[in-house]
């Protein structure tokens, strides 16, 4: 329920970070929301789990009547003090935030269709690497507002037959039980002092099981987290393992 994934694998892995964003941008059923926003930025201080927190939870929010510059489509972030049992039943998934106050980006960003071609994965990759977010920090938002906007997001998909988003949140745990690794800590530390912000992009997982059903249904719309520098640009560098900087994904639900 959180995992480091490669930024780009040249097609060798179906759900690397670039491919997930590319899928989201090019799914015809998601064009309405992808035209509103493709991502946003949180300061590192807002992303680090606070005291007593075991992870971060992001709520997918849709506010159709937002007045610019306030965003229509955004994520709201909160600390989570809950460890999720691996056998948790869907009916027991949370329906509202844990915190009374959460944070959201003051503004979000869209894909630049004037400079890049969203139908070319190489262009999507360049956009992620070159984009510098002009956002000016975060704004507070109440838990009650988040709950309303989160379920408005889920309602965009009706009966959710395509498995886009039934549960409008993405929980990233820090300590992953199966591997005994601290995933959020590793994600931050791989970049050293360069990391000042965490940029999120919406992604879509299209991988399928042998029976033809989607691996990540009912929450195929994913949150993909990218380390970003002081200019809010993606940090794409070599780190100690001689691998390219990795990005954070595989949140719960449905987990991994």
């Amino acid at each position: 329920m959180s995992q480091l994934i490669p930024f780009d694998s040249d097609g060798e892995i179906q759900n690397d970070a670039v491919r997930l964003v590319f899928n989201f941008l090019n799914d015809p059923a998601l064009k309405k929301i992808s035209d509103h926003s493709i991502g946003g930025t949180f300061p590192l201080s807002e992303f680090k789990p606070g005291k007593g927190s075991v992870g971060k939870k992001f709520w997918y929010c849709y506010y159709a009547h937002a007045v610019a510059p306030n965003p229509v489509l955004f994520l709201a972030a909160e600390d989570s003090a809950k460890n999720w049992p691996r056998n948790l039943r869907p009916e027991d998934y949370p329906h509202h935030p844990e915190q009374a106050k959460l944070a959201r980006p003051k503004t979000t960003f869209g894909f630049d269709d004037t400079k890049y071609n969203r139908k070319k994965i190489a262009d999507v990759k360049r956009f992620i690497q070159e984009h510098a977010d002009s956002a000016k920090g975060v704004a507070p938002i109440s838990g009650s507002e988040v709950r309303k906007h989160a379920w408005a997001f889920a309602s965009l998909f009706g009966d959710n037959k395509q498995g886009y988003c039934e549960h409008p949140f993405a929980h990233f745990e820090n300590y992953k039980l199966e591997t005994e690794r601290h995933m959020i800590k590793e994600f931050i530390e791989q970049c050293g002092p360069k990391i000042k912000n965490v940029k999120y992009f919406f992604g879509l997982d299209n991988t399928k099981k042998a029976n033809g059903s989607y691996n990540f249904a009912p929450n195929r719309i994913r949150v993909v987290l990218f380390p970003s520098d002081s200019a809010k640009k993606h940090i794409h560098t070599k780190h100690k393992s001689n691998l390219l900087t990795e990005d954070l994904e595989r949140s719960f639900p449905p987990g991994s």
Side-chain angles (χ1 to χ4, degrees):
M1 295 197 295
S2 65
Q3 180 175 315
L4 291 170
I5 64 171
F7 173 78
D8 175 42
S9 61
D10 294 323
E12 294 178 12
I13 298 175
Q14 291 188 56
N15 52 359
D16 60 54
V18 172
R19 173 66 62 176
L20 290 170
V21 177
F22 175 81
N23 292 344
F24 182 84
L25 282 167
N26 287 285
D27 190 299
L30 300 181
K31 190 171 190 313
K32 178 181 177 182
I33 60 174
S34 69
D35 283 349
H36 277 302
S37 172
I38 187 63
T41 303
F42 287 95
L44 183 61
S45 58
E46 195 66 52
F47 175 71
K48 288 181 176 178
K51 186 177 181 180
S53 173
V54 298
K56 299 295 291 192
K57 188 149 71 269
F58 296 90
W59 292 86
Y60 299 85
C61 293
Y62 181 74
Y63 184 24
H65 303 296
V67 177
N70 294 316
V72 170
L73 180 70
F74 59 93
L75 292 183
E78 67 171 340
D79 280 329
S80 177
K82 294 184 178 180
N83 284 304
W84 299 106
R86 295 311 195 247
N87 60 350
L88 189 68
R89 300 175 302 173
E91 55 265 35
D92 295 325
Y93 291 176
H95 288 79
H96 54 82
E98 297 175 45
Q99 310 296 333
K101 290 288 184 183
L102 293 82
R104 65 161 178 83
K106 288 183 177 179
T107 59
T108 57
F109 58 85
F111 187 76
D112 186 353
D113 288 291
T114 64
K115 185 178 178 182
Y116 306 89
N117 185 345
R118 70 172 65 196
K119 296 188 180 298
K120 294 182 178 180
I121 197 165
D123 273 25
V124 173
K125 177 180 176 179
R126 284 199 307 115
F127 175 78
I128 296 171
Q129 291 175 310
E130 296 171 0
H131 177 260
D133 194 1
S134 60
K136 305 296 183 184
V138 296
I141 184 170
S142 70
S144 58
E145 284 183 275
V146 169
R147 180 177 184 175
K148 178 176 66 176
H149 300 328
W151 291 104
F153 183 92
S155 70
L156 292 172
F157 309 106
D159 57 14
N160 198 40
K161 286 184 178 179
Q162 294 299 312
Y164 289 118
C165 185
E166 185 172 327
H167 310 286
F169 68 91
H171 176 85
F172 288 84
E173 63 185 1
N174 186 15
Y175 180 74
K176 187 170 182 178
L177 181 66
E178 292 85 351
T179 58
E180 298 184 346
R181 291 169 62 182
H182 290 82
M183 306 309 298
I184 292 178
K185 184 172 182 284
E186 286 186 31
F187 168 75
I188 293 171
E189 290 184 347
Q190 68 176 325
C191 300
K194 283 187 177 181
I195 184 170
K196 302 297 182 185
N197 297 279
V198 173
K199 187 181 290 186
Y200 73 82
F201 278 76
F202 292 110
L204 180 69
D205 195 301
N206 284 336
T207 57
K208 291 186 176 182
K209 301 175 184 177
N211 64 6
S213 62
Y214 287 107
N215 276 329
F216 275 76
N219 269 44
R220 290 172 53 215
I221 295 178
R222 312 302 299 161
V223 173
V224 190
L225 301 174
F226 296 83
S228 301
D229 59 20
S230 57
K232 303 183 181 70
K233 291 187 68 174
H234 178 244
I235 299 171
H236 193 72
T237 185
K238 300 280 188 180
H239 56 83
K240 60 185 178 182
S241 64
N242 292 320
L243 297 173
L244 291 174
T245 306
E246 295 179 295
D247 307 302
L248 195 62
E249 206 256 317
R250 300 297 178 87
S251 55
F252 170 83
S256 57

